[in-house]
Each structure stands twice: as structure tokens, then as C-alpha cells.
Amino acid sequence: MTLVVELDAVTKESEPRVGGKAVALAALAEAGHPVPPTLVLPTDAYERFVEHASLRAVIHQELGRKPFAEMRWEEIWDAALRIRNRFLRARMPDDLVSSLVEPLRNAMGGKVLAVRSSAPGEDSESASFAGLHDSFVGIDGVDAALEAVRKVWASLWSDRALLYRHELGIDIDASAMAVLVQELVEGSVSGIAFAVHPTDADLAVVEAVHGLNQGLVDGTIQPDRWILERGSWRVVDHHPPERRQEMVRSRKGLEVGDLAGGPHDRPPLTAEDLDQIARAMTATEALFGGPQDMEWTIAGGELVLLQSRPVTTAKTED
């Protein structure tokens, strides 16, 4: 069984092995949209790790003390913490490491990486899983990437992820995790595009920051926000932040800096940038058959799509 899958080998039928995020990214690439160079570690790698470390028994022990619906939040949090700690302490077997290291080094050696979750069922029309699982940006080297992969696997067992899967009726025994290992695209500006406003189906929302997207995604940096009219993509409103900041990669890792004065202390997007994003919203909606929530960056003037998931929160009239 191949434990590292190239993006052009991912199909919709492989979603149970590679997850929804990988399937969407592969579809974007096939349609001609620029995406980061990406390798997929399918659920087979996760299952081999779990089996070698006897983690299935740990999961059953921690979550089998009583019916999940009867567990208090404190009990769920405590059980989740113990499961994740066992994931982080368990040694990755030598045969698994050797199966992963060579293809990762051949494709990603010497590059700065992003390691992201791609759980089966993630980013579907009924469940976005947005923000539930961990992602790591600015990873330097394959060895560090493997440690990040282990942390992504462990994040499948956070209390938030457990509660969400229980709410959706997903069987604990069916839970698994695929992982994306990507070259980090260090764009000058980054953001998200929500093709349908959460409360008004006639509008769309674009949020953008200078630098990397991680600060926007994790809530560290307040973005500029544009409200657009769907279809015409005319700007209806623009909300600047109280203070513009940016997240950049340095020798110390990811750092947040103020943009007080200078050429960057201005809205991160031009009218031409917004037009690129609007065209991408139109194209991805046609590609996937519904409005998308896109994460993107602009590098060298080119819009690069980092991920795309169906909008699941739009309110529409009956």
C-alpha cells in the first residue's frame, strides 16, 4: 500500500483514504488553478501508526468508561488529553518512517513546509471541520514534518473534534486522519473568500491580511474585510481593522509585526486583486457545484488556492 500519494493521483473515489481537503485540492489543480506542491499521507499511514503503538486499545479504554452522551465535558476533555498524550509519546515504527521519508525528501527536501489535516468527511457539504484539527506552517525539513504529522494525527482526538464527530453521529472506530504535506507558499497577502455571506445569500465576504494566512486563520491578526454583491462582485462595503499587522516567517518561526506607516500600512488588496478572487469564487462554485469557502494567498501577483470547502452556514429563504 502506497503511504505517500501525489496530488495528481487523488480522485473523488479516494476520499475515504485521503480526505476531503486533498480531494478538493486535486480537483482545483486538475481544473488549472494554481495550488501548492502537495503530497498526501493517506489514512493507511495513520492506521499503521495506531496499530504499532496499540493506540486503538487506548482510545477504547478512555472513551469506553461510559456512553459518550453521558460523559461530562470535563471527562471528555480529560480522556481526550490522555489519548493525545499517548499519540505524542508513541514512537513511529521504523518501517513507517522509511516509507515516508524518502518520497518526502525527494519532493520536499530543502523546502519550508505546511502540514495540514485532511480527515475523511472533512470539508464536505454537511460538515466543514474548519479549525477543529491542527495545522502547522513554517516547518523546516522532513524530520520536523514527521513530528508535525504525528501532532495532526493526535488532533483527531481533541475534545472539540470528539464532540463535533459525536454531534454528526460519526462512529469513533471509523475515525482516521490523512495529512497533507505542502510546500509553503509565502504570499505577500493572504486571506479567505466566503462566496456566500453567513446571513445574506446575496452577498459574499473577502477577508485579507498582509503576509501569511496563519494569523488570520487562528485569530491572531484582524483582517481587512470586504462585502461584495454576488454575481456582479461589486464592493458594497470595506471594513479596515483597528491596526494592521502581518505574520511573517523568520529564523525564530512565525512572528507577528505591526505595520505602522510605510507602504504596507494600507488595505492588502487592490481592485485587481479583488477581481482575481471574484473570478476564482465564480470558477470554484461552477467546479464544485456550490459556493465555496476558499483559503488563498497571492504570490508574485498570482492567486494561489490553498484549500476550498463547501459553504455550510449560509442562511437562505424557504
Side-chain angles (χ1 to χ4, degrees):
M1 183 67 70
T2 302
L3 296 183
V4 178
V5 179
E6 295 188 2
L7 197 61
D8 60 8
V10 170
T11 65
K12 188 173 183 179
E13 290 69 31
S14 60
E15 194 275 341
R17 287 188 67 223
V18 302
K21 194 175 295 181
V23 169
L25 203 64
L28 290 170
E30 185 177 9
H33 296 282
V35 303
T38 301
L39 292 176
V40 185
L41 278 54
T43 56
D44 310 83
Y46 167 89
E47 295 289 359
R48 186 174 296 185
F49 175 71
V50 166
E51 180 180 358
H52 178 268
S54 301
L55 291 170
R56 190 75 63 193
V58 173
I59 294 165
H60 285 169
Q61 177 183 343
E62 295 295 343
L63 297 177
R65 302 178 191 276
K66 64 170 66 174
F68 191 89
E70 297 178 12
M71 294 176 71
R72 303 190 311 274
W73 176 83
E74 294 87 348
E75 294 175 306
I76 296 171
W77 182 88
D78 195 42
L81 180 62
R82 287 195 293 267
I83 293 170
R84 294 200 313 279
N85 283 341
R86 289 292 294 270
F87 267 77
L88 297 176
R89 292 202 310 266
R91 189 178 69 85
M92 198 176 291
D94 293 340
D95 65 330
L96 177 57
V97 172
S98 61
S99 296
L100 300 178
V101 164
E102 184 175 356
L104 287 176
R105 282 198 175 132
N106 287 342
M108 300 292 182
K111 298 177 180 177
V112 179
L113 305 174
V115 179
R116 306 179 188 274
S117 68
S118 185
E122 187 173 8
D123 296 348
S124 66
E125 292 183 4
S126 59
S128 75
F129 285 69
L132 281 180
H133 303 130
D134 290 341
S135 294
F136 299 91
V137 175
I139 303 298
D140 190 4
V142 169
D143 292 338
L146 288 182
E147 277 304 305
V149 167
R150 185 204 308 266
K151 293 176 182 178
V152 173
W153 287 340
S155 72
L156 184 65
W157 301 101
S158 72
D159 55 307
R160 293 183 306 146
L162 282 170
L163 286 165
Y164 189 57
R165 292 205 300 279
H166 174 70
E167 181 182 334
L168 294 177
I170 297 175
D171 185 358
I172 293 296
D173 285 327
S175 298
M177 178 68 79
V179 180
L180 306 183
V181 179
Q182 303 176 302
E183 181 178 353
L184 178 63
V185 179
E186 297 191 59
S188 57
V189 300
S190 307
I192 60 173
F194 203 64
V196 175
H197 193 287
T199 61
D200 190 334
D202 294 325
L203 301 176
V205 182
V206 174
E207 294 184 338
V209 295
H210 292 281
L212 299 175
N213 225 7
Q214 191 66 20
L216 168 58
V217 173
D218 65 20
T220 304
I221 297 179
Q222 185 180 1
D224 279 71
R225 179 180 295 110
W226 287 264
I227 309 299
L228 285 70
E229 181 182 68
R230 275 179 54 79
S232 70
W233 305 114
R234 177 179 62 89
V235 175
V236 175
D237 206 353
H238 171 222
H239 303 276
E242 293 182 6
R243 179 180 60 178
R244 288 198 176 93
Q245 296 177 301
E246 68 173 342
M247 180 170 283
V248 296
R249 187 176 61 85
S250 71
R251 292 181 179 179
K252 299 178 181 178
L254 299 183
E255 292 187 338
V256 175
D258 289 332
L259 292 171
H264 294 304
D265 191 16
R266 62 183 64 166
L269 296 180
T270 65
E272 291 76 14
D273 295 331
L274 283 166
D275 185 58
Q276 274 198 87
I277 295 165
R279 292 198 304 271
M281 285 194 283
T282 300
T284 56
E285 185 167 341
L287 176 64
F288 294 110
Q292 297 292 296
D293 170 11
M294 301 186 312
E295 184 178 342
W296 50 267
T297 192
I298 296 177
E302 180 179 59
L303 182 70
V304 179
L305 300 185
L306 305 178
Q307 64 182 49
S308 183
R309 60 170 67 93
V311 171
T312 58
T313 59
K315 297 180 180 179
T316 57
E317 298 296 329
D318 292 333

